[in-house]
């Protein structure tokens, strides 16, 4: 059975392809696909309240090669940034207790 980290990586890859395959280039996220992905998969971003300007700024920051789409590499950088944000957020929190029976 896959470890939880392996499952997390597979989820990351599958989630990218679930949205990237919807329109245009199958292997890149368009603006609309990114928006939908943020709404559905990362609601922690509060993307519902994110206005158009804010969304455009995020897209602009993530789109390193400026082709107006996010390829997997750009998406992976984004996920790494989100993970670093989570790491900061959870710093100092007690490690989850392993239940003893
Ligand atoms: Ca791009």
């Amino acid at each position: 059975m896959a470890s939880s980290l392996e499952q997390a990586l597979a989820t990351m890859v599958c989630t990218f392809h679930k949205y990237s395959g919807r329109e245009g280039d199958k292997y890149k996220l368009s603006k609309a696909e990114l928006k939908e992905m943020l709404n559905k998969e990362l609601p922690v971003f509060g993307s519902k309240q994110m206005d158009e300007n804010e969304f455009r700024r995020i897209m602009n920051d993530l789109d390193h090669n400026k082709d107006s789409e996010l390829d997997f590499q750009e998406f992976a950088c984004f996920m790494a940034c989100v993970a670093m944000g989570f790491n900061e957020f959870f710093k100092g929190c007690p490690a989850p207790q392993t239940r003893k029976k």
Side-chain angles (χ1 to χ4, degrees):
M1 210 190 115
S3 71
S4 58
L5 183 58
E6 286 168 335
Q7 284 174 34
L9 289 167
T11 300
M12 189 176 127
V13 172
C14 291
T15 303
F16 177 83
H17 289 286
K18 180 175 158 191
Y19 290 89
S20 72
R22 296 196 171 179
E23 61 171 30
D25 192 322
K26 275 167 69 176
Y27 304 108
K28 290 176 182 175
L29 289 172
S30 67
K31 266 185 199 154
E33 288 165 344
L34 174 66
K35 201 171 205 175
E36 194 178 359
M37 196 210 72
L38 288 175
N39 275 327
K40 295 204 174 137
E41 312 290 345
L42 278 173
V44 68
F45 262 75
S47 51
K48 288 237 158 63
Q49 297 98 299
M50 196 189 293
D51 66 26
E52 201 50 43
N53 283 337
E54 215 173 331
F55 176 71
R56 211 172 299 146
R57 209 179 53 233
I58 289 177
M59 181 72 192
N60 202 43
D61 285 349
L62 298 177
D63 181 17
H64 298 153
N65 64 358
K66 304 295 170 209
D67 67 349
S68 301
E69 294 189 293
L70 283 201
D71 57 28
F72 188 78
Q73 197 183 328
E74 290 163 340
F75 172 76
C77 290
F78 173 47
M79 288 295 103
C81 289
V82 173
M84 286 186 265
F86 278 24
N87 183 44
E88 284 302 311
F89 185 80
F90 289 111
K91 232 178 224 173
C93 289
Q97 299 288 312
T98 41
R99 287 218 178 103
K100 281 177 193 150
K101 280 179 187 164

